């Protein structure tokens, strides 16, 4: 990896972040707050939230077995993705490399930030080779994006190929693990101490059942996290989100039970789906969804909409012609989908 100063945009490296009122007295106890022009009434929502989410980060650190200073919290993982572009990529000059197909927000953020987005098509097993990504990279490639388990394909990417990238690429490798809780593959969080160019993304939206609170997590070495914190808005995570997330961490045992139930339903759904006359193939999955090739994705999608059942058509995505992406729901929801498709003609 190049020295971080060479990777970060010079204006970001020199940036003096906004100093919020809640940062300036850090480390001291206080009970009267006359510093931030807040309304003294309507406690506790009248006060600005902790800008660095210390209590929540301490809790997450214990669960994830990392240090609090290795954690960045964002308004969904999308904030961390966007900040990575703003931190490392000069608009109109730099570029990023990603696999295809994968999560669509990487390209959206690249387009918003005027960054060239280069793709490498996955093979028939939805896998990649590190050398193929490196061939697309040049001296202006600052980021490589990988999603594992991948969306929309559902499969784990080859760990050794990811390691090959981390060992060879001179920029930042971002491994998006939004679905890692449903996988039997080890998280790359265990590799943070080995690879200073590694950023791991996770989220409260999937296994934790908290999509509505919009809380994403990025993990990296403290220097990279420090850069992210310089760029973020001062109070990017509101108090209600922080409190809900803390309460959810106290339900960790229950969350693990949810995961086990969904994994059992995933196994059942894949087995039953293969019996359907409209199903041509179900791809292996390590997520809380599966990708299936069907006889006519558009017609089946429209048929299900008429039944009040919404799945995701991936018909227009690279390598996913006539494919639907099916999220694992509750058993009654899954049964309703199966019954509807049994009646499809």
């Amino acid at each position: 990896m190049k020295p971080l100063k060479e990777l970060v945009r010079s204006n970001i490296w020199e940036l003096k972040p906004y100093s919020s009122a809640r940062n300036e007295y850090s480390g001291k106890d206080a009970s009267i707050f006359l510093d931030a022009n807040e309304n003294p009434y309507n406690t506790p929502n009248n006060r600005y939230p902790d800008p660095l989410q210390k209590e929540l980060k301490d809790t997450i650190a214990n669960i994830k077995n990392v240090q609090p200073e290795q954690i960045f919290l964002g308004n969904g993982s999308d904030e961390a993705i966007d900040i990575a572009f703003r931190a490392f990529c000069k608009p109109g000059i730099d570029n990023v490399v990603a696999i295809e197909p994968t999560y669509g927000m990487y390209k959206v953020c690249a387009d918003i930030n005027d960054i060239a987005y280069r793709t490498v098509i996955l093979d028939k097993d939805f896998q990649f080779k590190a050398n193929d990504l490196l061939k697309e990279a040049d001296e202006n490639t600052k980021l490589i994006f990988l999603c594992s388990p991948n969306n929309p394909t559902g499969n784990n990417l080859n760990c050794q190929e990811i390691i090959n990238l981390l060992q060879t690429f001179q920029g930042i490798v971002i491994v998006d693990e939004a679905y890692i809780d449903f996988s039997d593959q080890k998280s790359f969080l265990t590799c943070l101490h080995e690879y200073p160019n590694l950023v791991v993304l996770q989220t409260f939206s999937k296994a934790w059942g908290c999509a509505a609170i919009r809380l994403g997590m990025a993990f990296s070495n403290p220097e990279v996290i420090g850069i992210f914190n310089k760029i973020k808005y001062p109070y990017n995570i509101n108090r209600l989100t922080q409190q809900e997330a803390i309460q959810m961490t106290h339900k960790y045992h229950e969350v693990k039970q949810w995961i086990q139930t969904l994994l059992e339903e995933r196994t059942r759904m894949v087995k039953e789906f293969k019996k359907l006359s409209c199903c041509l193939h179900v791809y292996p999955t390590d997520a809380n969804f599966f990708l299936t090739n069907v006889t006519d994705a558009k017609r089946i999608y429209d048929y299900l909409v008429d039944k009040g059942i919404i799945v995701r058509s991936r018909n227009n995505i690279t390598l996913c012609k006539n494919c639907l992406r099916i999220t694992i729901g509750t058993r009654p929801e899954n049964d309703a989908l199966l019954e509807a498709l049994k009646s499809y003609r």
Side-chain angles (χ1 to χ4, degrees), residues 147-323:
C147 186
S148 183
N150 192 27
N151 177 12
T153 60
N155 62 300
N156 291 321
L157 298 179
N158 185 290
C159 279
Q160 187 55 55
E161 293 298 325
I162 296 175
I163 291 171
N164 291 345
L165 272 181
L166 288 165
Q167 292 175 338
T168 308
F169 181 55
Q170 292 297 296
I172 302 294
V173 178
I174 299 179
V175 181
D176 189 341
E177 294 185 339
Y179 303 96
I180 193 65
D181 297 286
F182 304 101
S183 170
D184 58 6
Q185 185 165 281
K186 185 172 64 173
S187 169
F188 269 85
L189 288 181
T190 60
C191 299
L192 287 177
H193 64 287
E194 295 180 59
Y195 304 109
N197 59 336
L198 171 63
V199 175
V200 176
L201 303 181
Q202 293 188 9
T203 180
F204 270 71
S205 294
K206 310 302 179 184
W208 290 88
C210 287
I213 73 172
R214 306 308 302 129
L215 186 65
M217 299 170 279
F219 304 87
S220 190
N221 71 74
E223 197 172 9
V224 169
I225 296 302
I227 296 295
F228 278 39
N229 283 332
K230 286 177 70 172
I231 299 171
K232 79 173 185 70
Y233 292 121
Y235 303 109
N236 63 324
I237 307 298
N238 68 68
R239 189 191 72 83
L240 300 177
T241 290
Q242 292 187 44
Q243 289 302 309
E244 180 63 22
I246 289 169
Q247 291 178 28
M248 284 304 303
T249 61
H250 297 154
K251 300 180 181 179
Y252 188 43
H253 179 70
E254 185 177 354
V255 170
K256 289 193 288 186
Q257 290 181 320
W258 294 346
I259 294 169
Q260 184 58 40
T261 299
L262 289 171
L263 290 177
E264 291 169 0
E265 275 296 287
R266 184 182 75 185
T267 299
R268 183 180 77 93
M269 283 294 288
V270 168
K271 180 180 178 181
E272 293 301 314
F273 227 82
K274 290 177 178 179
K275 300 176 184 178
L276 297 171
S277 60
C278 63
C279 174
L280 301 178
H281 183 67
V282 177
Y283 294 95
T285 180
D286 301 285
N288 68 328
F289 63 86
F290 61 90
L291 187 72
T292 177
N293 183 234
V294 294
T295 52
D296 189 332
K298 184 180 186 309
R299 188 164 176 262
I300 294 171
Y301 175 85
D302 292 340
Y303 166 80
L304 290 172
V305 170
D306 288 341
K307 297 282 188 181
I309 301 171
I310 310 301
V311 297
R312 192 78 187 270
S313 175
R314 301 285 75 190
N315 190 41
N316 296 321
I317 301 297
T318 304
L319 301 182
C320 298
K321 179 70 174 176
N322 273 325
C323 285

Side-chain angles (χ1 to χ4, degrees), residues 97-99 118-120 128-137 144-146 165:
V97 175
I99 56 175
R118 302 177 178 181
T119 58
V120 172
F128 77 100
K129 294 293 185 184
N131 284 340
D132 292 337
L133 293 179
L134 292 169
K135 286 176 184 176
E136 280 296 318
I144 290 180
F145 282 93
L146 299 169
L165 272 181

Side-chain angles (χ1 to χ4, degrees), residues 8-9 29 51 63 107 110 129 246 321 332:
V8 176
R9 291 168 55 184
D29 293 330
I63 292 173
K107 186 178 189 309
K129 294 293 185 184
I246 289 169
K321 179 70 174 176

Side-chain angles (χ1 to χ4, degrees), residues 45-86:
N45 290 332
N46 61 325
R47 300 299 182 188
Y48 286 109
D50 177 2
L52 291 176
Q53 311 96 30
K54 294 185 180 69
E55 181 181 359
L56 177 54
K57 285 181 180 176
D58 286 342
T59 306
I60 292 172
N62 286 332
I63 292 173
K64 300 293 184 179
N65 197 27
V66 298
Q67 298 301 312
E69 57 269 24
Q70 293 177 297
I71 304 172
F72 170 83
L73 298 180
N75 185 357
S77 295
D78 295 341
E79 182 178 7
I81 293 167
D82 183 60
I83 283 180
F85 279 98
R86 289 191 281 150

